[in-house]
Amino acid sequence: MSLIPKKGNVYVVDDDEAVRDSLQWLLEGKDYRVKCFDSAEAFLARLDTREVACLICDIRMDGMSGLELQDKLIEKRSPLPIVFITGHGDVPMAVTTMKKGAIDFIEKPFKEDELVSLVERMLERAREAFATQQEAASRDALLSRLTSREAQVLERIVAGRLNKQIADDLGISIKTVEAHRANIMEKLNANTVADLLKIALGATAKA
């Protein structure tokens, strides 16, 4: 096993120490980095949203339940993929978690290979979500470089307005519109109008 785990970060939140120890032993043996928490509150206090990670969480816990933790993460717009551990009789609650976006749930006692397969699925989704977030952050950083007037011009370019129409809309000359367009292209590192639209529409889609 390598000294630095290569497969990703797995958070385990369960108030049962035996379950935490079992999951940590299993997943570290498969080359994952595992961080365990005995409560949802402790997990939220230490959550690093910059990490590519997934969450394995018990539904029933003292204090904040797994369902309540899921609601908190939804409020934070966290893309963290979740799989819930459920006891016998918790299946209706587990179905509710899936309707809210959980990847899956597993019943105790769970099969090791089933859990490892779920973790890999979750981490793949986490990598995709992280990449999407990074792209959105890059677009936002580029767009923040525009002046308010340039942003107005860009909005109209995206809407398909011609330079003359943009000039009429904003009460400026066509030459000024052309100058703004050139500045926008430079600031957004766009070589073509198609590049410009991808950046602008990507930001719109995110919003």
Side-chain angles (χ1 to χ4, degrees), residues 21 63 98-99 112 114 143 192:
D21 289 347
M98 292 190 70
K99 288 178 179 177
E112 291 185 359
E114 178 185 350
L143 290 167
T192 65

Side-chain angles (χ1 to χ4, degrees), residues 49-64:
T49 56
R50 296 168 298 178
E51 288 187 333
V52 177
C54 65
L55 170 62
I56 301 173
C57 183
D58 195 4
I59 280 189
R60 293 184 185 272
M61 295 183 287
D62 292 334
M64 187 186 297

Side-chain angles (χ1 to χ4, degrees), residues 7 19 21 31 34 40 67 74 102 107 122 149-150 152 166 179 193:
K7 291 186 177 179
V19 173
D21 289 347
D31 210 21
V34 183
L67 284 169
I74 290 171
E107 290 187 83
M122 287 196 294
R149 178 63 87 189
E150 288 165 352
Q152 291 173 335
I166 296 172
V193 174

Side-chain angles (χ1 to χ4, degrees), residues 17-28:
E17 184 177 4
V19 173
R20 294 196 306 273
D21 289 347
S22 173
L23 287 170
Q24 186 164 14
W25 178 84
L26 167 65
L27 294 170
E28 286 184 347

Side-chain angles (χ1 to χ4, degrees), residues 132-173:
T132 299
Q133 277 192 331
Q134 292 294 96
E135 289 171 8
S138 295
R139 285 195 301 268
D140 290 346
L142 287 173
L143 290 167
S144 69
R145 299 167 65 184
L146 302 182
T147 65
S148 58
R149 178 63 87 189
E150 288 165 352
Q152 291 173 335
V153 171
L154 175 60
E155 182 181 349
R156 286 160 175 79
I157 293 171
V158 171
R161 305 284 283 170
L162 301 175
N163 282 0
K164 183 178 186 309
Q165 293 171 317
I166 296 172
D168 291 342
D169 289 344
L170 300 178
I172 56 180
S173 70

Side-chain angles (χ1 to χ4, degrees), residues 32-73:
Y32 296 99
R33 178 187 294 163
V34 183
K35 298 180 181 180
C36 294
F37 301 88
D38 60 7
S39 70
E41 291 88 346
F43 165 70
L44 285 173
R46 297 286 299 278
L47 175 62
D48 186 348
T49 56
R50 296 168 298 178
E51 288 187 333
V52 177
C54 65
L55 170 62
I56 301 173
C57 183
D58 195 4
I59 280 189
R60 293 184 185 272
M61 295 183 287
D62 292 334
M64 187 186 297
S65 70
L67 284 169
E68 290 169 330
L69 172 56
Q70 185 183 30
D71 288 339
K72 290 285 187 184
L73 291 172

